[in-house]
C-alpha cells in the first residue's frame, strides 16, 4: 500500500515550487495591518472566518494544523498569538518561516502527520485552526481525537471542509468540457475510485491524493471525539474550473468547542 502521508508531503512540496494559490506567502502590508488589528483569514476558499469566532487572539496559544504556506499562521502571529504551524510539507513550513524572518514574527514550525500530535502535551492550545486540508488525509478519526486531546477545556477547533458531493462528478469532464457528469459513489478516494491508469497518471504528475469523507466522519466525527459544534457557514470554490460552484456552495466551515 502507498504511504499517503509521505506521498502527499512530496506533492505539496511540489505545489510550492509551482506557486499554487495556497502556497504563496502574504505580503508585508498584510502583516503590518494585522499588527494593528486589521486582519482576516480563511478556512475555506473565499469567505473570511467571522472575527467573533476568535475572540481576543493576543496571548492565545494557537495550533495552525495542516495550514502551512505563509498565510494564516503569520497573520495570527502578527495579531499577537503564540503560533505553532504544523504541516506535512516541509516546503509549506518554509513559507511560514520566510514570512516570520522577513517580518520579525515568532512562529514555531513542526512537520508531521495531523493524525499524530503526540509531540504535544495534553491541553497545549487554546485554538486549533485547520483550513481545508483533511481531503488529503485518508483517516480523520485520529485527527479529531488528537485535536480534542491537545486543546484546553473551553478551547476551539476551526475546520474547513469540502462537501462530499463535490466528489461525485468526473473531474476531467468538469474541468475540460464544463460538464457535470455523475461518476463516483461516495465516499470518494483517488486510490479506489479512479482507474489504475488514471491513478498512475496522477502519481506521475505528483498531484496530491484526495479523499471525500462523509459528513458522518467530518461533523459526526468531531462530535464523537467530544466536541460541541457551535458555529457553521458555507462557502463557494474560487477555482475557475469548478462548474459546480454555479449551483451550490461546495465548502463548509465548523467551529467546535471542547467543553469545560
Amino acid at each position: 500500500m502507498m504511504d499517503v502521508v509521505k506521498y502527499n508531503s512530496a506533492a505539496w512540496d511540489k505545489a510550492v515550487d509551482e506557486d499554487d494559490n495556497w502556497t504563496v506567502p502574504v505580503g508585508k502590508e498584510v502583516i503590518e495591518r494585522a499588527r494593528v488589528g486589521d486582519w482576516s483569514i480563511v478556512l475555506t476558499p473565499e469567505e473570511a472566518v467571522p472575527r467573533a469566532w476568535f475572540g481576543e487572539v493576543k496571548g492565545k496559544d494557537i495550533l495552525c494544523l495542516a495550514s502551512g504556506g505563509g498565510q494564516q499562521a503569520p497573520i495570527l502571529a502578527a495579531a499577537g498569538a503564540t503560533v505553532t504551524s504544523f504541516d506535512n510539507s516541509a516546503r509549506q513550513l518554509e513559507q511560514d518561516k520566510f514570512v516570520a524572518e522577513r517580518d520579525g514574527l515568532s512562529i514555531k514550525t513542526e512537520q508531521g502527520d495531523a493524525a499524530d500530535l503526540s509531540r504535544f502535551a495534553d491541553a497545549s492550545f487554546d485554538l486549533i485552526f485547520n483550513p481545508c486540508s483533511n481531503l488529503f488525509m485518508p483517516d480523520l478519526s485520529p485527527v479529531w481525537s488528537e485535536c480534542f486531546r491537545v486543546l484546553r477545556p473551553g478551547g476551539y477547533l476551526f475546520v474547513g471542509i469540502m462537501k462530499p458531493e463535490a466528489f461525485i462528478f468526473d473531474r476531467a469532464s468538469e474541468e475540460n468540457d464544463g460538464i457535470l457528469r455523475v461518476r463516483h459513489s461516495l465516499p470518494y478516494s483517488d486510490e479506489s475510485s479512479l482507474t489504475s491508469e488514471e491513478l498512475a497518471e496522477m502519481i506521475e504528475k505528483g498531484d496530491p491524493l484526495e479523499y471525500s469523507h462523509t459528513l458522518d466522519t467530518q461533523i459526526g466525527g468531531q462530535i464523537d471525539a467530544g466536541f460541541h459544534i457551535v458555529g457553521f457557514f458555507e462557502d463557494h470554490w474560487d477555482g475557475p474550473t469548478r462548474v459546480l460552484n454555479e449551483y451550490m456552495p461546495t465548502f463548509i466551515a465548523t467551529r467546535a468547542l471542547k467543553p469545560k
Side-chain angles (χ1 to χ4, degrees):
M1 295 181 63
M2 175 177 289
D3 185 337
V4 176
V5 173
K6 183 177 180 180
Y7 173 83
N8 275 351
S9 175
W12 275 100
D13 286 351
K14 177 175 175 286
V16 174
D17 295 332
E18 295 173 347
D19 292 327
D20 179 90
N21 185 50
W22 298 106
T23 74
V24 179
V26 296
K28 291 178 66 70
E29 69 283 356
V30 174
I31 298 302
E32 290 308 310
R33 290 199 303 269
R35 292 188 196 276
V36 296
D38 178 15
W39 60 273
S40 65
I41 55 177
V42 294
L43 279 166
T44 52
E46 295 186 328
E47 185 171 342
V49 180
R51 283 290 295 270
W53 279 23
F54 292 93
E56 177 57 70
V57 300
K58 289 183 179 178
K60 281 186 177 177
D61 294 312
I62 298 180
L63 176 64
C64 287
L65 182 65
S67 179
Q71 299 177 8
Q72 295 98 355
I75 290 174
L76 289 168
T82 300
V83 177
T84 299
S85 180
F86 186 94
D87 200 277
N88 188 31
S89 163
R91 295 282 284 120
Q92 281 284 73
L93 291 172
E94 287 176 8
Q95 302 299 71
D96 287 334
K97 293 177 184 177
F98 166 78
V99 180
E101 293 172 1
R102 182 193 69 194
D103 298 328
L105 302 170
S106 177
I107 301 174
K108 182 180 180 181
T109 58
E110 297 274 356
Q111 184 178 5
D113 178 5
D116 179 10
L117 304 180
S118 57
R119 70 191 70 184
F120 303 119
D122 294 357
S124 292
F125 300 100
D126 301 299
L127 171 65
I128 298 175
F129 190 88
N130 174 221
C132 290
S133 56
N134 68 40
L135 71 158
F136 306 110
M137 305 173 191
D139 185 8
L140 298 189
S141 179
V143 177
W144 303 142
S145 60
E146 279 289 84
C147 285
F148 192 86
R149 181 184 64 79
V150 302
L151 267 177
R152 294 173 181 138
Y156 291 93
L157 167 65
F158 297 178
V159 181
I161 298 167
M162 180 179 275
K163 289 183 178 179
E165 51 264 45
F167 290 85
I168 69 175
F169 301 100
D170 181 71
R171 188 177 304 170
S173 295
E174 184 177 8
E175 294 181 354
N176 300 328
D177 305 318
I179 297 173
L180 294 174
R181 181 170 68 86
V182 174
R183 175 185 173 187
H184 304 293
S185 60
L186 298 178
Y188 172 89
S189 162
D190 279 336
E191 291 187 275
S192 59
S193 300
L194 297 178
T195 66
S196 56
E197 292 79 9
E198 289 170 326
L199 180 59
E201 183 179 354
M202 277 196 68
I203 293 172
E204 177 67 24
K205 291 190 296 184
D207 292 341
L209 296 178
E210 297 183 0
Y211 307 84
S212 71
H213 304 299
T214 63
L215 291 180
D216 274 347
T217 300
Q218 294 277 18
I219 298 175
Q222 293 183 56
I223 294 170
D224 289 344
F227 287 106
H228 295 179
I229 305 297
V230 296
F232 180 96
F233 65 83
E234 294 180 297
D235 195 11
H236 288 79
W237 177 240
D238 61 354
T241 61
R242 290 318 306 250
V243 179
L244 187 59
N245 189 51
E246 300 175 16
Y247 300 95
M248 61 174 285
T250 51
F251 289 85
I252 56 179
T254 58
R255 180 185 188 230
L257 168 69
K258 178 176 180 177
K260 293 184 178 179

